[in-house]
Amino acid sequence: MTIRFAAATIHTTGEDVDDHSVSSESDSDYAEEDNNFEDWVSDQAQNQSCRSLFEDKAFPSAAAARAHDKDVHNFDLRTISAKLELDLHQRIRLINFIRKHAPTPEDIGNLTGAETFFSSDEYLIPQIEDDPLLQLEMNDWSDDEDLSSTDQRPAPPADLPSALRQMQLLERKLAQAHRDMAEYRSLVGQQFDAGRFAEIINEPGPSSAGPSPRDDDTHYFSSYCENDIHAVMIQDKVRTSTYASFILTNPILFRDAVVLDVGCGTGILSLLAAKSGAKHVYAVDASDIAEKAEQIVKANGLENVITVIRGKVEEISLPDDVEHVDIIISEWMGYALLYESMLDSVLQARDRFLKPEGGVMAPSQCRIMFGLCEGSEILKERIGFWSDVYGFDLSVMANDVYEEAIVDVVGPESLASEPYLLKDLHLKDITTRQLDFTSQFTLVSTTPKRTKIHAFVLYFDTFFTTTGEPVSPEVPVRVTKEGDVTLAEVWPVGGKAPPQRRASTGPGLKQKEDKRVTSFSTGPCSQPTHWKQTIFLLRDPIHAEDGMLHIPTQNLDGAGSMNAGTIVTGSFYCKKSATNSRELDVEIHYSVRQNAETTAVGETVVQIYKVR
């Protein structure tokens, strides 16, 4: 906010005053009547109690306060104002500056007049309500008896016209001072009080205020407050039964362990850990669901084993002076694995709380898989639909679809290549910086006939081990099918109790646990999960050759053959979005070679996507 006043300086030289405009007696009378109220206000100010500028002592009038400051503190307001050539507004600022900051008289004596507060609107605000020193007119700054022979006075007029001109100039100067003071009083006495006016002045303006800090977390955490999202996750049998299988079939790992559940939600994983023999479980969640998790823990009689902590895992401390935990368990995976960026929080929890030697991350490893997808059904649903809507062409609506990754389920028959490993994440040692990545890929079509390929498909495989060590590339992921025994075993329905296993111990069981790998896939060949698959539609389809044919080749070992399918090579770029760190920006650069026999490579195509 900027407040401007008319300039108070009056130039007294070089003015051409018309003799016919010289103040007449009637004009003087009018001016006198016009200023009577201001004179009364000035008189009131002189008779009002006034505080010293340099000590908390009140005096019966402004004149008495000024005299005290001059005698005791050797400070004369009129002298310093004249020395610095201050106008009315600068004098007001000086008084308010002294009232606010309480400098010493010596500090004020060292001022040069160039200080920034002399031009700051902040110091036009009275520090004392109805401060008498601020209500004095220009001719009140010194008493007549205080004037000395050294004061500069205009030379006596030589004749009557000169005297009249000098009187007119003085009257103009005085009238301007009256107007300035009236305008200032009107300003500070308008519709808001001085305190509120100070707040407004001190509010940062557009030029000084920085951008508001971006909040990527509020919506994210609030989205996990509702029941529906937790019902979807728990009812995802592939997800929940795999976690349950890992926890319940590895009793040696969990027995007497201290467990940290990051992003606990309803607390289902914490309940399973407690059932598997954990000594204590700390369940952490930053959303309101933590309140329900605490109620669930009590409802199951596990409040002595499970402690629910509401807050961000980056900011909380574990109670009971616990510094390290034996196991960190978390279901942090999002669409395309990394959407929502919850893995960042899990890795920070690892660095803060997981014991350095022997600590286990569950899951311990995730692989991002990538492949060609025929995708005609997705294309029809998301693009073709718009071309004929009740006989109207709305195809313009389809343009943006190519810029957004699609989260949907595609069947195994839509796969047009073997999957390619884009990124292998070992949770034991990966860093948050490595979550933005670039990967080269080569995909060979395996379609049984010439096919138009309309999309790339991305999914992830997840692995659990009791040691936290990486899984050998030769170990296949478990692809869960509808009706698999695992689902029935650990997810009983209809009130039936799960099969009871006889608890056993000993080195043999420990060795079995160490070798056991629990895993699940979110790919098209598995029973669908709530993560589905992530599909990147292509603006221009890839025309793939029959991938089932094999071309004869000659190598060092004699005759051989190679797949005749179309070869797609390129680069996959993935990073957190600059506008929302919970989202992903993906770039796919690719080129096509019709088959292994040809050397001609098509142009490089680049498509950019948002995963959100």
Side-chain angles (χ1 to χ4, degrees):
M1 179 178 180
T2 301
I3 304 171
R4 302 183 185 278
F5 298 92
T9 303
I10 301 296
H11 299 286
T12 58
T13 60
E15 295 194 26
D16 184 13
V17 182
D18 187 354
D19 288 344
H20 296 287
S21 64
V22 173
S23 298
S24 64
E25 183 178 354
S26 61
D27 293 335
S28 298
D29 292 342
Y30 177 80
E32 182 178 355
E33 290 174 4
D34 188 51
N35 291 325
N36 279 342
F37 176 76
E38 298 295 339
D39 293 339
W40 177 80
V41 171
S42 181
D43 291 340
Q44 288 294 104
Q46 291 196 24
N47 296 323
Q48 183 180 349
S49 175
C50 182
R51 206 179 78 186
S52 164
L53 285 172
F54 299 101
E55 54 187 292
D56 191 14
K57 183 182 292 186
F59 297 88
S61 67
R66 283 184 294 152
H68 172 81
D69 288 342
K70 183 176 181 180
D71 295 339
V72 175
H73 300 287
N74 196 29
F75 177 83
D76 183 21
L77 192 58
R78 174 185 172 277
T79 300
I80 191 69
S81 298
K83 172 188 172 184
L84 300 179
E85 299 181 348
L86 305 182
D87 60 26
L88 171 66
H89 304 120
Q90 290 172 320
R91 286 193 294 273
I92 291 171
R93 290 183 176 102
L94 175 62
I95 293 169
N96 287 323
F97 176 84
I98 297 172
R99 297 286 197 203
K100 182 174 183 177
H101 298 288
T104 65
E106 292 75 17
D107 293 334
I108 300 300
N110 292 328
L111 296 177
T112 64
E115 289 73 15
T116 56
F117 77 83
F118 281 118
S119 59
S120 171
D121 292 343
E122 175 186 356
Y123 295 100
L124 290 172
I125 305 164
Q127 298 298 306
I128 297 177
E129 188 174 358
D130 297 328
D131 190 342
L133 285 182
L134 300 180
Q135 300 181 44
L136 298 179
E137 300 297 345
M138 285 185 66
N139 56 329
D140 292 326
W141 286 99
S142 61
D143 297 324
D144 290 341
E145 59 271 19
D146 291 335
L147 293 176
S148 64
S149 59
T150 60
D151 292 325
Q152 293 184 357
R153 294 174 179 272
D159 50 33
L160 181 59
S162 299
L164 293 175
R165 281 196 298 272
Q166 192 173 86
M167 288 175 60
Q168 185 185 43
L169 292 175
L170 292 173
E171 285 176 353
R172 284 183 178 179
K173 186 174 181 180
L174 181 60
Q176 180 65 51
H178 283 309
R179 287 193 296 270
D180 286 345
M181 181 59 74
E183 188 174 4
Y184 172 70
R185 289 200 189 102
S186 174
L187 173 73
V188 297
Q190 276 176 351
Q191 52 188 338
F192 34 54
D193 57 28
R196 175 59 188 144
F197 189 47
E199 293 176 8
I200 294 174
I201 288 294
N202 290 326
E203 287 176 357
S207 60
S208 60
S212 300
R214 194 181 68 206
D215 180 11
D216 297 339
D217 294 340
T218 299
H219 173 72
Y220 169 68
F221 290 123
S222 65
S223 68
Y224 281 90
C225 298
E226 305 300 328
N227 281 16
D228 289 350
I229 191 169
H230 295 282
V232 168
M233 291 189 292
I234 289 177
Q235 291 169 5
D236 181 344
K237 293 182 180 180
V238 174
R239 164 200 183 266
T240 309
S241 68
T242 305
Y243 273 90
S245 177
F246 172 72
I247 295 171
L248 297 177
T249 61
N250 291 291
I252 293 181
L253 175 65
F254 281 88
R255 187 175 298 132
D256 295 328
V258 178
V259 179
L260 175 62
D261 181 359
V262 179
C264 67
T266 58
I268 182 63
L269 302 185
S270 296
L271 296 172
L272 290 168
K275 184 177 181 180
S276 192
K279 178 181 179 181
H280 205 93
V281 182
Y282 297 99
V284 180
D285 205 297
S287 75
D288 291 341
I289 194 64
E291 298 176 8
K292 292 183 179 179
E294 193 165 15
Q295 297 172 23
I296 290 170
V297 168
K298 290 181 180 178
N300 286 274
L302 292 171
E303 59 267 36
N304 292 329
V305 180
I306 301 173
T307 301
V308 178
I309 302 172
R310 170 74 183 275
K312 296 180 180 180
V313 75
E314 297 90 340
E315 300 171 358
I316 60 100
S317 297
L318 298 180
D320 306 320
D321 297 324
V322 173
E323 295 184 358
H324 294 106
V325 299
D326 302 299
I327 304 167
I328 292 179
I329 193 161
S330 178
E331 194 276 81
W332 52 265
M333 297 81 81
Y335 301 135
L337 186 66
L338 297 178
Y339 173 72
E340 292 184 329
S341 297
M342 185 179 167
L343 180 54
D344 296 60
S345 298
V346 173
L347 297 183
Q348 289 200 45
R350 176 200 67 190
D351 296 341
R352 294 186 65 199
F353 299 118
L354 188 64
K355 68 179 183 180
E357 297 296 330
V360 173
M361 299 290 291
S364 57
Q365 186 172 350
C366 288
R367 294 173 178 165
I368 300 177
M369 311 303 292
F370 193 60
L372 298 175
C373 178
E374 187 269 336
S376 58
E377 288 300 317
I378 294 290
L379 183 75
K380 182 178 179 180
E381 293 173 5
R382 302 300 181 106
I383 302 294
F385 159 77
W386 293 107
S387 61
D388 185 359
V389 181
Y390 293 97
F392 296 100
D393 181 3
L394 305 186
S395 56
V396 68
M397 298 294 294
N399 291 337
D400 293 341
V401 176
Y402 290 105
E403 299 174 2
E404 301 280 341
I406 297 170
V407 177
D408 209 334
V409 174
V410 294
E413 71 282 353
S414 68
L415 287 177
S417 72
E418 292 297 324
Y420 187 92
L421 176 59
L422 275 185
K423 181 76 171 175
D424 199 354
L425 291 78
H426 300 153
L427 269 67
K428 182 179 181 180
D429 50 23
I430 193 170
T431 65
T432 55
R433 293 183 61 184
Q434 293 172 316
L435 301 183
D436 289 350
F437 69 93
T438 300
S439 179
Q440 312 301 315
F441 63 84
T442 299
L443 302 170
V444 181
S445 67
T446 56
T447 55
K449 59 183 179 180
R450 291 185 177 181
T451 305
K452 286 184 179 180
I453 296 173
H454 297 284
F456 293 109
V457 61
L458 182 148
Y459 62 94
F460 60 91
D461 297 336
T462 301
F463 298 84
F464 300 78
T465 66
T466 60
T467 62
E469 295 301 319
V471 175
S472 170
E474 287 75 30
V475 176
V477 67
R478 177 183 176 86
V479 177
T480 306
K481 302 293 185 180
E482 186 70 44
D484 278 359
V485 177
T486 302
L487 300 179
E489 280 188 332
V490 300
W491 193 258
V493 293
K496 296 179 181 178
Q500 299 297 314
R501 295 181 175 83
R502 180 170 55 87
S504 58
T505 59
L509 180 60
K510 178 67 168 62
Q511 291 175 0
K512 288 182 180 180
E513 284 194 7
D514 288 348
K515 293 180 180 179
R516 183 183 297 129
V517 175
T518 306
S519 63
F520 69 86
S521 176
T522 64
C525 294
S526 174
Q527 179 180 345
T529 69
H530 77 284
W531 289 289
K532 305 178 183 180
Q533 290 90 42
T534 304
I535 298 143
F536 303 97
L537 281 178
L538 304 176
R539 289 188 180 273
D540 299 308
I542 297 171
H543 296 271
E545 298 290 339
D546 185 347
M548 303 305 290
L549 295 177
H550 285 77
I551 301 170
T553 62
Q554 190 73 27
N555 53 36
L556 294 177
D557 298 325
S561 67
M562 65 173 60
N563 193 303
T566 297
I567 301 172
V568 181
T569 58
S571 301
F572 186 95
Y573 301 85
C574 180
K575 65 178 181 179
K576 294 181 182 66
S577 171
T579 56
N580 187 333
S581 62
R582 299 284 176 183
E583 300 174 355
L584 300 175
D585 289 338
V586 169
E587 280 189 33
I588 302 176
H589 301 205
Y590 69 94
S591 57
V592 177
R593 184 155 55 104
Q594 282 308 314
N595 55 56
E597 275 194 318
T598 63
T599 57
V601 178
E603 63 182 358
T604 298
V605 180
V606 177
Q607 278 197 236
I608 301 174
Y609 304 88
K610 282 279 188 185
V611 180
R612 56 187 172 188

